[in-house]
Amino acid sequence: MAPSLIERFEVEIFCTCDIHGQYQDLLRLFEYGGYPPAANYLFLGDYVDRGKQSLETICLLLAYKIRYPDKIFLLRGNHEDAKINRIYGFYDECKRRFNVRLWKIFTDCFNCLPVSALIDEKIICMHGGLSPELKSLDQINEIVRPTEIPDNGLLCDILWSDPDPRTVGWADSDRGVSCTFGPDAVAEFLEKNELDLICRGHQVVEDGYEFFAKRRLVTIFSAPNYGGEFDNVGALLSVDESLVCSFEILKPAAGTSKVPLKKPPKIGGA
């Protein structure tokens, strides 16, 4: 089993997050960046739920991971959790198309996924964000797996927390789970651990990516027209060998929605 914090990568890698069962958009992302093994990918979680093809999405990604283990890396998101995907679609999809036993097999798989990655010792990646308990990166490797996601604490925060420009330090989250953290918490954590950037997902953003805390944190969201409800594009973060970051934008496929779409809220503090 890989460590909870993955540290060995070929630099020149694409980071992507929140596919949410939008399988056709996943294929379009690979068309943009190149299909493995032509390119390296780090996925930051939330492969299932909301979309109609969670099974195709997670099966393709796991197949690539088995075939090209050093080219594709899969982190855990908050939806890779039985408590969540029992409600938001994945359980029902497994039961309708196959059986509940398949869902339980995926649950066992999700409980083993790593939760964070470090690119060239300078860019820390996770699905959600920081935790008031997280002082050192060594703490992430101390997380014992397989494990369910607890209702609070370090692992919960890594998968659930959000940046908020109104927060100083730490505050309770409107989600009812985990916490929010302010620009000061980002700056303190990066300085203490000699890092340059936090890369995370977890929140739908209109332009596919959004900066926070003077560009020291970036939110990536890769599912365009998220759930058929939001007027957003998707994004791929490209990190080159010099750690220069750029973005590839994935516009919604033509005719994907016939209903009025909502604008995603701004995270703010860019």
Side-chain angles (χ1 to χ4, degrees):
M1 189 184 297
S4 292
L5 174 67
I6 306 171
E7 297 187 62
R8 294 184 179 180
F9 293 98
E10 289 184 39
V11 180
E12 287 197 45
I13 193 166
F14 288 107
C15 297
T16 176
C17 192
D18 293 271
I19 303 299
H20 280 294
Q22 295 185 201
Y23 179 63
Q24 295 302 321
D25 291 318
L26 173 62
L27 298 182
R28 294 170 63 220
L29 285 171
F30 282 138
E31 289 170 4
Y32 269 66
Y35 285 85
N40 304 305
Y41 287 90
L42 171 62
F43 287 82
L44 307 185
D46 278 14
Y47 314 106
V48 302
D49 286 340
R50 308 285 191 183
K52 296 180 180 179
Q53 291 180 286
S54 291
L55 282 170
E56 286 87 347
T57 299
I58 189 58
C59 285
L60 178 63
L61 291 174
L62 289 173
Y64 273 139
K65 180 61 181 174
I66 293 167
R67 181 65 181 86
Y68 306 112
D70 296 325
K71 292 290 185 178
I72 186 166
F73 300 89
L74 306 176
L75 301 186
R76 190 175 189 176
N78 65 302
H79 280 260
E80 280 71 62
D81 177 12
K83 297 189 299 295
I84 300 300
N85 62 50
R86 175 68 177 83
I87 299 170
Y88 289 101
F90 186 53
Y91 171 88
D92 291 333
E93 182 178 337
C94 290
K95 183 179 180 181
R96 174 173 52 84
R97 298 176 62 183
F98 294 95
N99 50 55
V100 174
R101 180 173 174 270
L102 179 64
W103 175 73
K104 291 180 178 178
I105 292 171
F106 275 112
T107 295
D108 291 340
C109 172
F110 295 157
N111 286 345
C112 294
L113 289 177
V115 298
S116 186
L118 185 62
I119 300 176
D120 205 26
E121 299 183 340
K122 287 299 180 183
I123 302 175
I124 184 71
C125 307
M126 70 276 281
H127 181 75
L130 300 178
S131 170
E133 297 183 16
L134 183 60
K135 309 300 182 186
S136 164
L137 299 185
D138 291 337
Q139 291 174 258
I140 300 176
N141 269 334
E142 293 170 2
I143 296 172
V144 177
R145 294 172 295 134
T147 181
E148 297 179 357
I149 300 173
D151 294 332
N152 51 59
L154 176 59
L155 177 57
C156 175
D157 293 338
I158 289 173
L159 272 56
W160 276 96
S161 68
D162 294 304
D164 187 337
R166 302 165 297 179
T167 298
V168 176
W170 309 91
D172 292 336
S173 173
D174 291 340
R175 295 179 186 268
V177 181
S178 187
C179 59
T180 61
F181 54 91
D184 57 329
V186 171
E188 180 182 349
F189 178 80
L190 293 178
E191 182 177 352
K192 181 177 293 185
N193 290 279
E194 299 182 342
L195 300 169
D196 291 342
L197 180 70
I198 298 167
C199 177
R200 46 88 67 177
H202 195 41
Q203 290 176 289
V204 57
V205 288
E206 184 175 355
D207 297 323
Y209 68 95
E210 189 170 322
F211 284 106
F212 177 80
K214 297 181 179 178
R215 301 173 77 91
R216 303 190 75 181
L217 178 149
V218 65
T219 296
I220 304 292
F221 200 87
S222 302
N225 274 165
Y226 172 46
E229 296 181 19
F230 287 93
D231 183 17
N232 68 288
V233 300
L236 274 171
L237 170 64
S238 174
V239 182
D240 74 10
E241 58 187 4
S242 301
L243 297 187
V244 174
C245 297
S246 59
F247 299 91
E248 301 283 345
I249 301 302
L250 185 68
K251 295 183 178 180
T256 52
S257 181
K258 298 179 181 179
V259 299
L261 299 174
K262 296 181 286 188
K263 288 287 187 183
K266 284 286 185 183
I267 295 174

